[in-house]
Structures are given as structure tokens and as C-alpha cells.
Amino acid sequence: MNGRLGILGFGRFGRLVALHLKTHFDVVVYDRKDRAEEAADLGVRIGALREVASCAILVLCVPISRIEAALEAVAPHLGAETLVVDTCSVKEYPVALMERVLPAHVDILGTHPLFGPDSAADTLQGKKIVLCPVRLRSLRRVVAFLRSLKLDVMISSPESHDREMAHTQAIVQFLGRAFLEMGLTHETMATPGYERLIRILEVVQNDTWELFHDLQTFNRFAGPMRQRLIESLSLIDERLGG
Amino acid sequence: MNGRLGILGFGRFGRLVALHLKTHFDVVVYDRKDRAEEAADLGVRIGALREVASCAILVLCVPISRIEAALEAVAPHLGAETLVVDTCSVKEYPVALMERVLPAHVDILGTHPLFGPDSAADTLQGKKIVLCPVRLRSLRRVVAFLRSLKLDVMISSPESHDREMAHTQAIVQFLGRAFLEMGLTHETMATPGYERLIRILEVVQNDTWELFHDLQTFNRFAGPMRQRLIESLSLIDERLGG
């Protein structure tokens, strides 16, 4: 693949996208904030919103809660065959928005890269990405390109994705927040299992409250999952005579 | 160290003790069940309860709930200077029992090996063991011997041990049971954090309900820890508008 690729939102994840794609595309980025320094660090160009939106491919790297505003802002400026790609950790909500807000002439692809700036700083090798194809002239071409980056590509419906994420990613984050709230941390007498658990939960504790909140509230399966976890723990506590 | 070492209880943990100590001691074992096959496999001898109890060192490898009965059974047969060692995952309860039930002439050492038949099958190198010295002619000699086995030796009071374990080992097991109850397992779209979490919880899911129950109920800090975890999760769920 080649041509111009626009990145909307140049926070930590947008910069990760630029890092891995700048050798494959002419990358141009836009952020509401001044990101001149970060762009210079990565050797990519900052452009106007209008230019970024008109690229052959537009990758949205904004928080879930700002995706609607972002879509409305780019919609009038999209190219005739622009492929719009979102990267949100939930899929039903942004995919529905893209279908509603974006003009019929553009291609739409929902994605959830199951990695972040920490886990994929060095390599994408073996990292997972879930694709939810919405309207796409050539899914095969996209999949082949992502596989050439050594990514493990999975195809899913937005609903299946969100259902599975509620019971995997969202539960880990939920536990991470609870451990933070309880002040649980490394302990000298810890068992190997606890040490590993704390290391996992420390990673998700780095997430902002905004990311945590969005993942738990924009995924309609996350609330019931949280309830089930609380109920399961309460049930076991009762069985123990607690 | 040398001489005769008795092991009371020849389940999985008792066999792990025999495996690592048989080159250092003349090991003799006793179990209520017929363990002739397991003893032959390890090349150790089965003896009468009376013989096992009279060894220079007696290591108790019975479940926490059977420790009182075991202590009462061995008490009349203990040698003049026998060192009685328990290996329970809680410490206040068995240490108090040993102090009450055992005769004044024996030495008493509470221990909690923070490893099991799975994690220490090959080596003890770097594995942790917590010691709660109760009455001991030479703690230094015991510590030196355990260090010669490459163990990481920690000294604690029974109370500090139980308090810390409630917030480490017990919480991992509690979560493991809840995940089992919820039917959570490996998923294709899992994030790296979730994959690692499931692998940790699978290990504790191998524990028997008896071991889980004992660890949660014979440790007086475990109940309050379970309550705090449930409360923290409920609080965060509420903050999310759950």
C-alpha cells in the first residue's frame, strides 16, 4: 500500500501508528493541540484538518468519547475514495457512528489494535488486531498489508468483538482499578501468582480514567460483566460463610 | 543437617518435601492412606506414625483442617528434642495449636513454603519460604540449611504473615474461583494482559476446594480482604454509573 495516510489525533496511540506506518505511507497528522515537537521527533508532517481528511486513508486516533465530533469535522473534507479507519477499543458504538455520519462514497473499516504504545514500542510482530469490515472495496488488500507488518489479523462483527472484550480486556481493567483503590501493590512475601498479577494490573493502571471509563461505558456488555464478577465473588464469599 | 526426618502426610506437598530432602536426611513417611507406590517411586521408606513422630525433625504436610488431629496423634511419640515443623499456608492458627498441643521439650517452627508441586518440581532455586520461629534451639542452623537449598528465606510473625497473605495469595485464589464460576477462559481476541491473567488463575484453579476454603477461613484477615475487594469493585461500578 502507498499514498498519503492521515492520522487524526496525535496522542500516544496516534504516534505509535505514525511510527509503524511512516515507512509505508506519506504520513500527515492533525491534532487540536500543538504537536510540532512530537511530529518532528517522528519525522512526520503536520497538516490542516482538511488535508488530513482528504488522504487516501484516514486513521482516527481520538478517544471514543470524541469520535462523533471528529467524524462530523472530517466528513465534509473526505476524499472521493478515502478509507476511514477507527482504532477504538469498543466497536459497536464507533462503527454505528461511522455508518451514520460518513458519506456513502467513502470506505469504512473498524479496527481494534490489541496493543498499545507500551507493548508495541519495538515491534508489531505477533500483535493482534481485530477488524470489523463495514464498507470496503478491498478487505483482502488491507489484510495482506497488515499481515506484512507481522500482525495477527482477526475478523469479527462489532457485537462479537464487544462481547468478548467485556470478558477479557474490560475485566482486567476493572480489577486493575479495584487494586489501585485498595492500595494493593508489590509485597515481599508474595506468591509467584500474586507477583505476576500485580505486574499485569500495573500496566492497566497506567491507562487514564477517561480510557477506562470509555471502555467500560461504551461497551454495552461491560456493565453486565462487572455485575457478574461482583455477584460471583459475593456468592463464593457466602459459600465460605463470609 | 542430617539424621532422620519424618514426613506426616504424603500427598502432593509431602512428596515434594521428600523429593528435595531425601539426599540430606534419612526420610521416613507416614500417611493414613496407603502410599507404598508413591514412596517406592521416590525411594523413601514408609514407617509407623510412632517412628515418624520420633524423628529428629518432623514435617507436617497435612491440610490445615487436619493439623489439630495430627498434632494430638504425634504428641505422645515425639522425641526428646524433635523439631516439629508445619507447612500450612496460614500461620496464626497452626502456630497457636502447636504451642498448645505439643510438649514443652520439643522445638517448634512454623513455615509457609510459597511454592508448590508445580512451581518447584525441578528446583527450589529462588523459591520463597516464610519462617515463623516459635521455640527453636538454633534458628541460625535451620536458616543456613534452607539457604543451602537456594531458598529465599524470610522471617515473620504469624500475624504479619497472615495479614500479607490475605492481600496476596488469598486474593489471587479468590479471583481464580470467581473466574471459574463465571466460566471465563482463554479467548482468541484476548489482550496480552488477559491472557497472562487467565494463565495465573488457571494455576490456582487446580487447588482443591478444601485448600481454598482453608486458606480463606483459617486466615482471619482473608474475610475482610474479600469484603474490601467486593466493595471496591462495587464502588468503581457505581462511579461508572453502573
Side-chain angles (χ1 to χ4, degrees), chain A residues 146-166:
Chain A
L146 294 172
R147 290 205 173 124
S148 77
L149 298 176
K150 311 287 183 204
L151 286 166
D152 178 3
V153 180
M154 284 170 286
I155 313 281
S156 171
S157 69
E159 180 178 336
S160 295
H161 168 276
D162 285 8
R163 195 187 296 274
E164 192 160 323
M165 283 303 136

Side-chain angles (χ1 to χ4, degrees), chain A residues 114 128 156 164-165 167-168 174 178 181-182 187-190 194-195 197 226-228 232 237, chain B residues 114 128 156 164-165 167-168 178 181-182 187-190 194-195 197 226-228 232-233 236-237:
Chain A
L114 297 186
K128 295 177 183 174
S156 171
E164 192 160 323
M165 283 303 136
H167 296 91
T168 55
F174 187 40
E181 219 274 320
M182 291 172 77
E187 296 287 352
T188 50
M189 282 186 240
Y194 179 78
E195 281 176 29
L197 181 65
R226 295 194 302 274
Q227 280 307 314
R228 268 186 66 205
S232 288
D237 186 49
Chain B
L114 297 186
K128 295 176 182 174
S156 171
E164 193 161 324
M165 282 304 135
H167 296 90
T168 56
E181 219 275 319
M182 291 172 76
E187 296 287 352
T188 49
M189 282 186 241
Y194 179 78
E195 281 175 30
L197 181 65
R226 294 194 303 272
Q227 279 307 313
R228 268 186 66 205
S232 287
L233 290 167
I236 292 162
D237 186 49

Side-chain angles (χ1 to χ4, degrees), chain A:
Chain A
M1 301 187 91
N2 47 56
R4 274 189 314 139
L5 180 141
I7 297 176
L8 180 63
F10 206 51
R12 287 189 80 207
F13 193 78
R15 299 202 288 276
L16 184 72
V17 172
L19 174 72
H20 289 293
L21 297 186
K22 67 183 183 176
T23 55
H24 303 275
F25 298 93
D26 173 17
V27 171
V28 50
V29 307
Y30 175 81
D31 197 296
R32 296 183 310 174
K33 292 182 194 160
D34 177 11
R35 299 289 194 179
E37 209 174 305
E38 291 91 338
D41 277 352
L42 279 165
V44 297
R45 195 161 53 86
I46 290 185
L49 176 66
R50 178 183 294 258
E51 183 190 358
V52 168
S54 68
C55 288
I57 303 173
L58 169 63
V59 184
L60 305 171
C61 299
V62 300
I64 302 167
S65 56
R66 291 200 221 129
I67 198 95
E68 184 165 15
L71 289 169
E72 279 162 359
V74 296
H77 310 296
L78 294 167
E81 295 190 4
T82 294
L83 166 60
V84 181
V85 180
D86 90 299
T87 56
C88 296
S89 301
V90 301
K91 294 269 58 74
E92 282 190 324
Y93 173 75
V95 160
L97 272 178
M98 289 193 288
E99 287 186 293
R100 182 165 64 75
V101 174
L102 297 180
H105 61 81
V106 302
D107 276 8
I108 300 175
L109 175 64
T111 77
H112 178 194
L114 297 186
F115 52 84
D118 296 316
S119 61
D122 299 324
T123 176
L124 295 177
Q125 174 98 44
K127 299 290 185 294
K128 295 177 183 174
I129 185 165
V130 181
L131 306 186
C132 299
V134 182
R135 297 200 305 251
L136 210 53
R137 263 156 271 234
S138 178
L139 175 62
R140 261 170 65 183
R141 201 167 151 228
V142 173
V143 171
F145 172 70
L146 294 172
R147 290 205 173 124
S148 77
L149 298 176
K150 311 287 183 204
L151 286 166
D152 178 3
V153 180
M154 284 170 286
I155 313 281
S156 171
S157 69
E159 180 178 336
S160 295
H161 168 276
D162 285 8
R163 195 187 296 274
E164 192 160 323
M165 283 303 136
H167 296 91
T168 55
Q169 185 176 33
I171 209 167
V172 175
Q173 293 191 318
F174 187 40
L175 287 172
R177 285 285 150 183
F179 272 51
L180 202 61
E181 219 274 320
M182 291 172 77
L184 295 180
T185 183
H186 292 280
E187 296 287 352
T188 50
M189 282 186 240
T191 50
Y194 179 78
E195 281 176 29
R196 286 196 290 266
L197 181 65
I198 282 292
R199 279 200 294 273
I200 292 168
L201 298 184
E202 273 177 342
V203 173
V204 297
Q205 287 167 359
N206 286 336
D207 293 341
T208 58
W209 173 263
E210 182 185 31
L211 180 60
F212 172 68
H213 177 272
D214 289 355
L215 229 129
Q216 298 286 335
T217 55
F218 285 100
N219 182 335
R220 67 184 162 110
F221 303 104
M225 172 284 294
R226 295 194 302 274
Q227 280 307 314
R228 268 186 66 205
L229 178 62
I230 293 168
E231 281 161 19
S232 288
L233 290 167
S234 303
L235 185 72
I236 293 162
D237 186 49
E238 268 170 46
R239 272 188 217 146
L240 290 167

Side-chain angles (χ1 to χ4, degrees), chain B residues 162-215:
Chain B
D162 284 6
R163 194 188 296 274
E164 193 161 324
M165 282 304 135
H167 296 90
T168 56
Q169 185 176 32
I171 209 167
V172 175
Q173 293 191 317
F174 187 40
L175 287 172
R177 286 285 151 183
F179 271 51
L180 202 61
E181 219 275 319
M182 291 172 76
L184 295 179
T185 182
H186 292 280
E187 296 287 352
T188 49
M189 282 186 241
T191 50
Y194 179 78
E195 281 175 30
R196 287 196 290 267
L197 181 65
I198 282 291
R199 279 200 294 274
I200 292 168
L201 298 184
E202 274 177 342
V203 172
V204 298
Q205 286 167 359
N206 286 336
D207 293 341
T208 59
W209 172 263
E210 181 185 32
L211 180 61
F212 172 68
H213 177 273
D214 289 356
L215 229 130

Side-chain angles (χ1 to χ4, degrees), chain B residues 35-225:
Chain B
R35 299 289 194 180
E37 208 174 304
E38 292 91 338
D41 277 352
L42 280 166
V44 297
R45 193 161 54 84
I46 290 186
L49 176 66
R50 180 183 294 258
E51 183 189 358
V52 168
S54 69
C55 289
I57 303 173
L58 170 62
V59 184
L60 304 171
C61 299
V62 299
I64 302 167
S65 56
R66 292 201 220 128
I67 198 94
E68 184 165 15
L71 289 170
E72 279 162 359
V74 296
H77 309 295
L78 295 167
E81 296 190 1
T82 294
L83 165 60
V84 180
V85 180
D86 90 298
T87 57
C88 295
S89 300
V90 301
K91 293 270 58 76
E92 282 190 325
Y93 173 75
V95 160
L97 272 178
M98 289 193 288
E99 287 186 293
R100 181 166 64 73
V101 174
L102 298 179
H105 60 82
V106 301
D107 277 9
I108 300 174
L109 175 64
T111 78
H112 178 193
L114 297 186
F115 52 84
D118 296 316
S119 60
D122 299 324
T123 176
L124 295 177
Q125 174 98 43
K127 299 291 185 294
K128 295 176 182 174
I129 185 165
V130 180
L131 306 186
C132 300
V134 182
R135 299 199 306 250
L136 210 53
R137 263 156 270 235
S138 178
L139 175 62
R140 261 170 64 183
R141 202 166 149 230
V142 173
V143 171
F145 172 70
L146 294 173
R147 290 207 173 124
S148 78
L149 297 177
K150 311 288 183 204
L151 286 166
D152 179 4
V153 180
M154 284 171 285
I155 312 283
S156 171
S157 69
E159 180 178 337
S160 295
H161 168 276
D162 284 6
R163 194 188 296 274
E164 193 161 324
M165 282 304 135
H167 296 90
T168 56
Q169 185 176 32
I171 209 167
V172 175
Q173 293 191 317
F174 187 40
L175 287 172
R177 286 285 151 183
F179 271 51
L180 202 61
E181 219 275 319
M182 291 172 76
L184 295 179
T185 182
H186 292 280
E187 296 287 352
T188 49
M189 282 186 241
T191 50
Y194 179 78
E195 281 175 30
R196 287 196 290 267
L197 181 65
I198 282 291
R199 279 200 294 274
I200 292 168
L201 298 184
E202 274 177 342
V203 172
V204 298
Q205 286 167 359
N206 286 336
D207 293 341
T208 59
W209 172 263
E210 181 185 32
L211 180 61
F212 172 68
H213 177 273
D214 289 356
L215 229 130
Q216 299 286 335
T217 56
F218 285 100
N219 181 335
R220 67 184 163 111
F221 304 104
M225 172 283 293

Side-chain angles (χ1 to χ4, degrees), chain B residues 11-25:
Chain B
R12 288 189 80 206
F13 193 77
R15 300 203 287 278
L16 183 73
V17 172
L19 174 72
H20 289 293
L21 297 186
K22 67 182 182 177
T23 55
H24 302 275
F25 298 94

